Amino acid sequence: MTYCLGLNLAQGLVMLSDTRTNAGVDNISTFSKMQILEVPGERVICMTTAGNLAITQSAWGYLQEGVTLDGRRQKLADMPNMFQAARLLGAAVREVYEADGKALAAQGIGFDASFLLGGQIGTEAPRLFLVYAAGNFIEATQDTPFLQIGEHKYGKPILDRALNWDTPLMDGVKLALVSMDSTLRSNLTVGMPLDLMTADRDSLHIGRWRRITEDDPYFSMVRQGWSNALRSALVALPAPEWG
Amino acid sequence: MTYCLGLNLAQGLVMLSDTRTNAGVDNISTFSKMQILEVPGERVICMTTAGNLAITQSAWGYLQEGVTLDGRRQKLADMPNMFQAARLLGAAVREVYEADGKALAAQGIGFDASFLLGGQIGTEAPRLFLVYAAGNFIEATQDTPFLQIGEHKYGKPILDRALNWDTPLMDGVKLALVSMDSTLRSNLTVGMPLDLMTADRDSLHIGRWRRITEDDPYFSMVRQGWSNALRSALVALPAPEWG
């Protein structure tokens, strides 16, 4: 399992992923699930992945090497906008399926993969997509400015309650870290370190990229500070009159 | 689906359940999933249920009518302590399986049921059990003083962060309502109204029982107040130095 989330906010993009891969609980490894393509001043694109690592790494490889879309080989670096980038990723996933799906099925292995693709190209606003294993996709909107892949349930309530499209970017970073922490606490197949990336709207370059390790002082403060804040909020809530 | 949780705290028990049952998203109904047996001064026992309603209602019926345990028919009202009560519920579930399991399997329907059984009998401390469809069970401890059945993921992070065995009973009620609210927001198969029950330690009677409806002013305040508190806590968290 995995947990990745992306926020597309008024001020820009936040992408966060864990790094744990596992084949059973006694076979875990650390792999980054975040890939970034940056051409400063032209485009910044970030992809995070969940599911079978062989599938998701292959899809990223195809995006660099070229994928057949609309009858010709095209690369992620050539895409004129994020919608076409999402289409290309969908086409890449389908090429992986064509190449590997039958052999995986013969071994009883499902074709399990999902992707978040966030970024900004040129003058278009930042956009964020969730691409499924079938190559189809949905896009985040101002109504629902976040998308999640992998183990999404534990980290969703805090986003539902506190995140809006107007949330400032750095508050989005805090919320993403709290959402990830809630997931880390409950699902052993989601693990440290984390990869965090932000891109300020219209900057067209990576704003922040950080590998957050277990001993990261800021993340430690967020974990402890958030638990303390919740306990204080709990005490501050009035007791019921029927109590 | 369903969401029920039970807390066994230093000051006593809190049990909370939703009331939605569904057979597909276009066939939903309201059924209480909470059953209470109270003999004031002697015992107070509360059972909440998830899974197939025919199975769980039958199990409660058997507990009243008598279940074969240790070679003789016994009733919940006769159990000398909560461990024996959990054993009896396990035996009841196995009797339902004997009666209905084969016919359900013939229709392709799994034997899906789980139960929380909390209560206090006589001078023994309050205890809380989770009984599985196979009739086996686990017990809450001071390390993990809460148990959940049904859709447990959305409501778990707040309990992990803020609940301890020493949490005062009324703070436990608030936490249970927040945990339920997080679940209600994300899973359509969990629905209002709610049934809430508390039993103060050593009182041996129902402390509070309340059917909480959509227009309950206290629950509305908790929902709104909690979201406000989270947003305030978020703003109060310092931004990262690398921000």
Side-chain angles (χ1 to χ4, degrees):
Chain A
M1 198 47 109
T2 286
Y3 181 45
C4 301
L5 77 163
L7 319 179
N8 188 15
L9 307 177
Q11 294 184 354
L13 285 161
V14 178
M15 305 285 284
L16 179 65
S17 57
D18 83 311
T19 55
R20 181 158 293 170
T21 64
N22 72 298
V25 290
D26 58 350
N27 184 3
I28 64 172
S29 306
T30 299
F31 281 90
S32 177
K33 301 164 191 173
M34 178 179 286
Q35 305 287 352
I36 297 176
L37 172 65
E38 182 191 35
V39 182
E42 181 197 291
R43 73 186 59 215
V44 56
I45 301 176
C46 179
M47 182 181 92
T48 61
T49 62
N52 184 311
L53 190 66
I55 297 171
T56 59
Q57 286 188 341
S58 290
W60 182 252
Y62 283 32
L63 289 174
Q64 314 308 308
E65 299 286 319
V67 180
T68 300
L69 182 69
D70 299 332
R72 64 184 198 281
R73 300 297 284 178
Q74 304 193 57
K75 299 180 181 178
L76 186 59
D78 304 326
M79 291 298 101
N81 58 53
M82 284 301 298
F83 181 77
Q84 295 298 336
R87 285 188 70 219
L88 193 74
L89 175 54
V93 182
R94 289 170 185 168
E95 286 199 11
V96 179
Y97 183 77
E98 287 295 315
D100 298 344
K102 197 170 167 184
L104 289 171
Q107 308 265 349
I109 301 169
F111 194 80
D112 171 28
S114 53
F115 305 82
L116 294 181
L117 188 73
Q120 184 170 18
I121 298 176
T123 56
E124 192 187 51
R127 298 174 75 172
L128 172 66
F129 296 87
L130 193 172
V131 181
Y132 298 101
N136 56 335
F137 51 84
I138 61 171
E139 181 176 5
T141 63
Q142 292 193 22
D143 286 329
T144 304
F146 68 91
L147 293 172
Q148 306 167 287
I149 53 176
E151 174 56 81
H152 63 279
K153 290 189 179 183
Y154 297 112
K156 186 166 183 287
I158 180 62
L159 302 174
D160 282 337
R161 287 188 199 269
L163 188 78
N164 297 298
W165 188 72
D166 294 323
T167 301
L169 196 72
M170 291 315 295
D171 284 351
V173 168
K174 296 179 210 170
L175 269 176
L177 292 174
V178 170
S179 174
M180 178 63 78
D181 181 47
S182 295
T183 311
L184 288 166
R185 283 169 185 259
S186 288
N187 190 317
L188 280 180
T189 72
V190 178
M192 301 284 290
L194 311 176
D195 289 331
L196 174 76
M197 179 268 194
T198 69
D200 293 334
R201 185 187 177 101
D202 298 332
S203 69
L204 293 173
H205 64 74
I206 299 168
R208 293 161 201 85
W209 184 89
R210 191 168 179 90
R211 166 64 56 101
I212 298 171
T213 55
E214 284 280 4
D215 57 359
D216 184 280
Y218 182 69
F219 188 56
S220 300
M221 186 281 294
V222 166
R223 303 182 97 158
Q224 191 56 49
W226 191 252
S227 292
N228 293 345
L230 293 200
R231 282 191 286 268
S232 301
L234 181 71
V235 172
L237 270 186
E241 291 168 20
W242 35 269
Chain B
M1 199 45 110
T2 287
Y3 181 45
C4 301
L5 77 163
L7 318 179
N8 188 15
L9 307 176
Q11 294 184 354
L13 286 160
V14 178
M15 306 285 284
L16 180 65
S17 57
D18 83 311
T19 55
R20 181 158 293 169
T21 63
N22 73 297
V25 291
D26 59 350
N27 184 2
I28 63 173
S29 306
T30 299
F31 281 90
S32 177
K33 302 164 191 173
M34 178 179 285
Q35 305 287 351
I36 298 176
L37 171 65
E38 182 191 34
V39 182
E42 179 197 292
R43 71 187 59 214
V44 56
I45 301 176
C46 178
M47 182 182 92
T48 62
T49 62
N52 184 310
L53 190 66
I55 296 172
T56 59
Q57 286 189 340
S58 290
W60 181 252
Y62 283 31
L63 289 174
Q64 314 309 305
E65 299 287 319
V67 180
T68 301
L69 182 70
D70 300 331
R72 63 183 199 282
R73 301 296 283 178
Q74 304 192 57
K75 299 180 182 179
L76 186 60
D78 303 326
M79 292 298 101
N81 58 54
M82 285 300 298
F83 182 77
Q84 295 298 335
R87 285 188 71 218
L88 193 74
L89 175 54
V93 182
R94 289 170 184 168
E95 286 199 13
V96 179
Y97 183 76
E98 286 295 315
D100 298 344
K102 196 170 168 184
L104 289 171
Q107 308 265 349
I109 300 169
F111 193 80
D112 172 29
S114 54
F115 305 81
L116 295 181
L117 188 73
Q120 184 170 17
I121 298 176
T123 57
E124 192 186 50
R127 298 175 75 172
L128 173 65
F129 296 87
L130 193 171
V131 180
Y132 298 101
N136 57 335
F137 51 83
I138 61 171
E139 181 176 5
T141 63
Q142 292 193 21
D143 286 327
T144 303
F146 68 91
L147 292 172
Q148 306 167 288
I149 53 176
E151 174 57 80
H152 63 279
K153 290 189 177 182
Y154 297 111
K156 186 165 182 289
I158 180 62
L159 302 173
D160 282 337
R161 287 189 200 270
L163 188 77
N164 297 298
W165 188 71
D166 294 324
T167 300
L169 196 73
M170 290 317 294
D171 284 350
V173 168
K174 296 180 210 169
L175 269 175
L177 292 174
V178 170
S179 174
M180 178 63 79
D181 182 46
S182 295
T183 311
L184 289 166
R185 284 170 185 257
S186 288
N187 190 316
L188 280 180
T189 71
V190 179
M192 302 282 291
L194 311 175
D195 288 330
L196 174 76
M197 179 268 195
T198 70
D200 294 333
R201 185 186 177 101
D202 298 334
S203 69
L204 294 173
H205 64 74
I206 300 168
R208 293 160 201 86
W209 184 89
R210 190 168 179 92
R211 166 64 56 104
I212 298 171
T213 55
E214 285 280 4
D215 57 359
D216 184 281
Y218 181 70
F219 188 55
S220 300
M221 186 282 294
V222 166
R223 303 182 96 156
Q224 191 57 49
W226 191 253
S227 292
N228 293 345
L230 294 199
R231 282 191 288 266
S232 301
L234 181 70
V235 172
L237 269 186
E241 292 169 20
W242 34 268

Short mmCIF file of all heavy atoms in Angstrom, two decimals, chain A residues 115-145:
data_model
loop_
_atom_site.label_atom_id
_atom_site.label_comp_id
_atom_site.label_asym_id
_atom_site.label_seq_id
_atom_site.Cartn_x
_atom_site.Cartn_y
_atom_site.Cartn_z
N PHE A 115 -2.23 6.96 -10.16
CA PHE A 115 -1.26 8.04 -10.32
C PHE A 115 -1.92 9.38 -9.99
O PHE A 115 -3.07 9.60 -10.35
CB PHE A 115 -0.79 8.13 -11.78
CG PHE A 115 -0.24 6.85 -12.33
CD1 PHE A 115 -1.08 5.85 -12.81
CD2 PHE A 115 1.14 6.64 -12.38
CE1 PHE A 115 -0.56 4.66 -13.31
CE2 PHE A 115 1.67 5.46 -12.89
CZ PHE A 115 0.81 4.46 -13.36
N LEU A 116 -1.18 10.24 -9.32
CA LEU A 116 -1.56 11.65 -9.27
C LEU A 116 -0.60 12.41 -10.18
O LEU A 116 0.62 12.18 -10.13
CB LEU A 116 -1.46 12.19 -7.84
CG LEU A 116 -2.43 11.60 -6.83
CD1 LEU A 116 -2.22 12.27 -5.46
CD2 LEU A 116 -3.88 11.74 -7.27
N LEU A 117 -1.15 13.27 -10.99
CA LEU A 117 -0.33 14.05 -11.91
C LEU A 117 -0.72 15.52 -11.73
O LEU A 117 -1.83 15.92 -12.10
CB LEU A 117 -0.58 13.61 -13.36
CG LEU A 117 0.35 14.23 -14.40
CD1 LEU A 117 1.76 13.62 -14.29
CD2 LEU A 117 -0.20 14.00 -15.82
N GLY A 118 0.18 16.28 -11.12
CA GLY A 118 -0.10 17.69 -10.88
C GLY A 118 0.96 18.54 -11.56
O GLY A 118 2.12 18.13 -11.65
N GLY A 119 0.55 19.70 -11.99
CA GLY A 119 1.57 20.55 -12.58
C GLY A 119 0.98 21.76 -13.27
O GLY A 119 -0.23 22.00 -13.26
N GLN A 120 1.89 22.52 -13.84
CA GLN A 120 1.50 23.71 -14.59
C GLN A 120 2.40 23.80 -15.82
O GLN A 120 3.62 23.58 -15.74
CB GLN A 120 1.65 24.96 -13.73
CG GLN A 120 1.17 26.23 -14.44
CD GLN A 120 1.08 27.44 -13.54
OE1 GLN A 120 1.66 27.47 -12.45
NE2 GLN A 120 0.35 28.46 -13.97
N ILE A 121 1.79 24.10 -16.94
CA ILE A 121 2.52 24.26 -18.20
C ILE A 121 2.13 25.62 -18.79
O ILE A 121 0.95 25.90 -19.01
CB ILE A 121 2.17 23.14 -19.19
CG1 ILE A 121 2.58 21.78 -18.62
CG2 ILE A 121 2.85 23.39 -20.54
CD1 ILE A 121 2.19 20.58 -19.48
N GLY A 122 3.13 26.45 -19.00
CA GLY A 122 2.91 27.75 -19.65
C GLY A 122 1.93 28.63 -18.90
O GLY A 122 1.98 28.76 -17.68
N THR A 123 1.01 29.21 -19.64
CA THR A 123 0.10 30.20 -19.05
C THR A 123 -1.17 29.58 -18.47
O THR A 123 -1.98 30.28 -17.86
CB THR A 123 -0.32 31.23 -20.11
OG1 THR A 123 -0.91 30.52 -21.22
CG2 THR A 123 0.88 32.01 -20.63
N GLU A 124 -1.35 28.28 -18.68
CA GLU A 124 -2.51 27.60 -18.12
C GLU A 124 -2.39 27.55 -16.59
O GLU A 124 -1.29 27.48 -16.05
CB GLU A 124 -2.59 26.18 -18.68
CG GLU A 124 -3.90 25.48 -18.40
CD GLU A 124 -3.86 24.01 -18.84
OE1 GLU A 124 -2.91 23.29 -18.46
OE2 GLU A 124 -4.78 23.61 -19.56
N ALA A 125 -3.54 27.54 -15.89
CA ALA A 125 -3.51 27.43 -14.43
C ALA A 125 -2.99 26.04 -14.03
O ALA A 125 -3.07 25.10 -14.82
CB ALA A 125 -4.92 27.64 -13.87
N PRO A 126 -2.47 25.88 -12.80
CA PRO A 126 -2.07 24.55 -12.33
C PRO A 126 -3.27 23.61 -12.33
O PRO A 126 -4.40 24.02 -12.04
CB PRO A 126 -1.59 24.81 -10.90
CG PRO A 126 -1.28 26.26 -10.82
CD PRO A 126 -2.21 26.93 -11.78
N ARG A 127 -3.01 22.35 -12.65
CA ARG A 127 -4.07 21.34 -12.66
C ARG A 127 -3.57 20.07 -11.99
O ARG A 127 -2.37 19.82 -11.92
CB ARG A 127 -4.53 21.06 -14.10
CG ARG A 127 -5.11 22.30 -14.76
CD ARG A 127 -5.44 22.09 -16.22
NE ARG A 127 -6.65 21.29 -16.43
CZ ARG A 127 -7.22 21.11 -17.62
NH1 ARG A 127 -6.67 21.65 -18.71
NH2 ARG A 127 -8.31 20.38 -17.74
N LEU A 128 -4.53 19.28 -11.53
CA LEU A 128 -4.20 18.05 -10.79
C LEU A 128 -5.15 16.94 -11.23
O LEU A 128 -6.37 17.12 -11.19
CB LEU A 128 -4.34 18.31 -9.28
CG LEU A 128 -4.21 17.11 -8.35
CD1 LEU A 128 -2.79 16.53 -8.40
CD2 LEU A 128 -4.57 17.51 -6.92
N PHE A 129 -4.58 15.81 -11.63
CA PHE A 129 -5.36 14.68 -12.13
C PHE A 129 -5.07 13.41 -11.35
O PHE A 129 -3.96 13.22 -10.84
CB PHE A 129 -5.02 14.42 -13.61
CG PHE A 129 -5.39 15.54 -14.54
CD1 PHE A 129 -4.50 16.59 -14.77
CD2 PHE A 129 -6.61 15.56 -15.18
CE1 PHE A 129 -4.84 17.63 -15.62
CE2 PHE A 129 -6.96 16.59 -16.04
CZ PHE A 129 -6.06 17.64 -16.25
N LEU A 130 -6.07 12.54 -11.30
CA LEU A 130 -5.89 11.18 -10.79
C LEU A 130 -6.11 10.24 -11.98
O LEU A 130 -7.19 10.21 -12.57
CB LEU A 130 -6.89 10.89 -9.68
CG LEU A 130 -6.68 9.63 -8.83
CD1 LEU A 130 -7.67 9.63 -7.65
CD2 LEU A 130 -6.80 8.33 -9.57
N VAL A 131 -5.05 9.51 -12.36
CA VAL A 131 -5.11 8.61 -13.50
C VAL A 131 -5.22 7.17 -12.98
O VAL A 131 -4.42 6.74 -12.14
CB VAL A 131 -3.86 8.76 -14.39
CG1 VAL A 131 -3.93 7.83 -15.59
CG2 VAL A 131 -3.71 10.21 -14.85
N TYR A 132 -6.21 6.46 -13.48
CA TYR A 132 -6.48 5.08 -13.03
C TYR A 132 -5.70 4.07 -13.87
O TYR A 132 -5.13 4.40 -14.91
CB TYR A 132 -7.98 4.79 -13.13
CG TYR A 132 -8.82 5.68 -12.26
CD1 TYR A 132 -9.51 6.78 -12.81
CD2 TYR A 132 -8.94 5.45 -10.90
CE1 TYR A 132 -10.28 7.61 -12.02
CE2 TYR A 132 -9.72 6.28 -10.10
CZ TYR A 132 -10.38 7.35 -10.66
OH TYR A 132 -11.15 8.18 -9.87
N ALA A 133 -5.74 2.82 -13.40
CA ALA A 133 -5.02 1.74 -14.09
C ALA A 133 -5.53 1.52 -15.52
O ALA A 133 -4.80 1.03 -16.37
CB ALA A 133 -5.12 0.44 -13.30
N ALA A 134 -6.79 1.90 -15.76
CA ALA A 134 -7.33 1.75 -17.12
C ALA A 134 -6.92 2.91 -18.02
O ALA A 134 -7.27 2.93 -19.21
CB ALA A 134 -8.85 1.64 -17.06
N GLY A 135 -6.21 3.88 -17.48
CA GLY A 135 -5.76 5.01 -18.28
C GLY A 135 -6.75 6.17 -18.33
O GLY A 135 -6.44 7.22 -18.92
N ASN A 136 -7.92 5.99 -17.76
CA ASN A 136 -8.88 7.10 -17.66
C ASN A 136 -8.51 7.97 -16.46
O ASN A 136 -7.68 7.58 -15.64
CB ASN A 136 -10.32 6.57 -17.55
CG ASN A 136 -10.49 5.61 -16.38
OD1 ASN A 136 -9.53 4.99 -15.93
ND2 ASN A 136 -11.71 5.49 -15.89
N PHE A 137 -9.12 9.12 -16.34
CA PHE A 137 -8.70 10.02 -15.26
C PHE A 137 -9.77 11.00 -14.86
O PHE A 137 -10.73 11.26 -15.62
CB PHE A 137 -7.41 10.76 -15.64
CG PHE A 137 -7.43 11.46 -16.96
CD1 PHE A 137 -7.97 12.73 -17.09
CD2 PHE A 137 -6.90 10.84 -18.10
CE1 PHE A 137 -7.97 13.38 -18.32
CE2 PHE A 137 -6.90 11.49 -19.33
CZ PHE A 137 -7.44 12.77 -19.44
N ILE A 138 -9.61 11.55 -13.65
CA ILE A 138 -10.47 12.64 -13.17
C ILE A 138 -9.57 13.80 -12.78
O ILE A 138 -8.36 13.63 -12.60
CB ILE A 138 -11.34 12.22 -11.96
CG1 ILE A 138 -10.46 11.80 -10.77
CG2 ILE A 138 -12.29 11.10 -12.33
CD1 ILE A 138 -11.25 11.59 -9.47
N GLU A 139 -10.20 14.98 -12.63
CA GLU A 139 -9.43 16.18 -12.29
C GLU A 139 -9.97 16.82 -11.02
O GLU A 139 -11.19 16.87 -10.81
CB GLU A 139 -9.51 17.18 -13.45
CG GLU A 139 -8.70 18.45 -13.18
CD GLU A 139 -8.68 19.43 -14.36
OE1 GLU A 139 -9.39 19.17 -15.36
OE2 GLU A 139 -7.98 20.45 -14.26
N ALA A 140 -9.09 17.30 -10.16
CA ALA A 140 -9.51 18.06 -8.98
C ALA A 140 -10.16 19.36 -9.42
O ALA A 140 -9.83 19.91 -10.48
CB ALA A 140 -8.31 18.35 -8.08
N THR A 141 -11.09 19.85 -8.60
CA THR A 141 -11.80 21.09 -8.90
C THR A 141 -11.77 21.99 -7.67
O THR A 141 -11.29 21.59 -6.61
CB THR A 141 -13.27 20.79 -9.24
OG1 THR A 141 -13.89 20.23 -8.07
CG2 THR A 141 -13.39 19.83 -10.40
N GLN A 142 -12.32 23.19 -7.80
CA GLN A 142 -12.38 24.07 -6.63
C GLN A 142 -13.29 23.49 -5.55
O GLN A 142 -13.07 23.72 -4.36
CB GLN A 142 -12.84 25.47 -7.04
CG GLN A 142 -11.79 26.18 -7.90
CD GLN A 142 -12.06 27.67 -8.07
OE1 GLN A 142 -12.78 28.27 -7.27
NE2 GLN A 142 -11.48 28.26 -9.11
N ASP A 143 -14.30 22.71 -5.94
CA ASP A 143 -15.16 22.05 -4.94
C ASP A 143 -14.38 21.00 -4.16
O ASP A 143 -14.56 20.84 -2.95
CB ASP A 143 -16.34 21.34 -5.62
CG ASP A 143 -17.38 22.31 -6.10
OD1 ASP A 143 -17.55 23.36 -5.46
OD2 ASP A 143 -18.02 22.02 -7.13
N THR A 144 -13.57 20.24 -4.85
CA THR A 144 -12.79 19.16 -4.23
C THR A 144 -11.35 19.35 -4.71
O THR A 144 -10.93 18.77 -5.71
CB THR A 144 -13.33 17.78 -4.65
OG1 THR A 144 -14.72 17.71 -4.29
CG2 THR A 144 -12.59 16.66 -3.95
N PRO A 145 -10.58 20.19 -3.96
CA PRO A 145 -9.27 20.57 -4.45
C PRO A 145 -8.17 19.57 -4.10
O PRO A 145 -7.00 19.88 -4.30
CB PRO A 145 -9.02 21.91 -3.77
CG PRO A 145 -9.78 21.83 -2.49
CD PRO A 145 -10.98 20.96 -2.77
#
